[in-house]
Amino acid sequence: MRIGDLAARFGLATHVLRHWEDVGLLTPAARAAGRRQYDESHVARVVMIQRAKASGLSLEQIRRMFEALGGAERRMVLAEQDARLDEQIRRAQESKRLIEHALTCETPDFTECPRFHQLVAELSPRSG
């Protein structure tokens, strides 16, 4: 299939696939009359790239994962991202606690609420 067909299959612009080629994520199977040709293995590759991006991996991390020499190296890239996601989730949960309190606070202005101030203080960096 041609680049336009592959791009259309995923709702992507062709320049996205060209960029992924430029950064080493995707390589056409062949060229016919100067046009990139792709096969079903490229469909799977695009799915992996999209899922990796959705999990927060950068294109560089995805390239490192694809170029890794084995499963252990690939898992190392994923373990790094897993730790980043854990930290993002922790921060989001902290923010959610503040928002939930603000939404249910009986004080007319939650910014004047002692409990809200306590929650904010718990999240403030310690001086030291």
Side-chain angles (χ1 to χ4, degrees):
M1 76 185 84
R2 296 191 329 209
I3 191 168
D5 300 325
L6 182 62
R9 190 164 176 171
F10 290 93
L12 298 170
T14 56
H15 71 84
V16 172
L17 298 181
R18 286 187 195 98
H19 178 66
W20 290 353
E21 286 179 17
D22 291 342
V23 297
L25 298 181
L26 194 61
T27 305
R31 287 191 181 260
R35 295 177 185 255
R36 296 165 172 85
Q37 295 294 310
Y38 299 91
D39 57 34
E40 287 301 312
S41 69
H42 293 95
V43 172
R45 184 77 163 212
V46 170
V47 169
M48 287 188 284
I49 294 167
Q50 287 185 316
R51 296 315 318 150
K53 286 182 60 175
S55 73
L57 288 165
S58 68
L59 295 182
E60 172 60 22
Q61 289 171 306
I62 298 167
R63 186 190 56 73
R64 281 182 36 221
M65 188 176 61
F66 286 158
E67 291 178 354
L69 297 177
E73 272 188 67
R74 286 187 180 92
R75 283 183 180 90
M76 188 173 69
V77 172
L78 295 177
E80 292 167 2
Q81 183 61 18
D82 187 55
R84 283 187 202 94
L85 288 172
D86 283 342
E87 178 60 20
Q88 288 175 352
I89 289 166
R90 184 189 64 74
R91 286 193 315 263
Q93 288 171 332
E94 289 172 345
S95 296
K96 186 168 175 42
R97 270 186 30 215
L98 282 174
I99 290 169
E100 286 175 345
H101 178 78
L103 290 172
T104 61
C105 184
E106 294 182 13
T107 304
D109 181 351
F110 69 87
T111 64
E112 297 174 5
C113 171
R115 175 69 181 135
F116 184 80
H117 283 274
Q118 180 184 359
L119 290 170
V120 169
E122 291 171 10
L123 298 175
S124 298
R126 307 283 183 240
S127 63

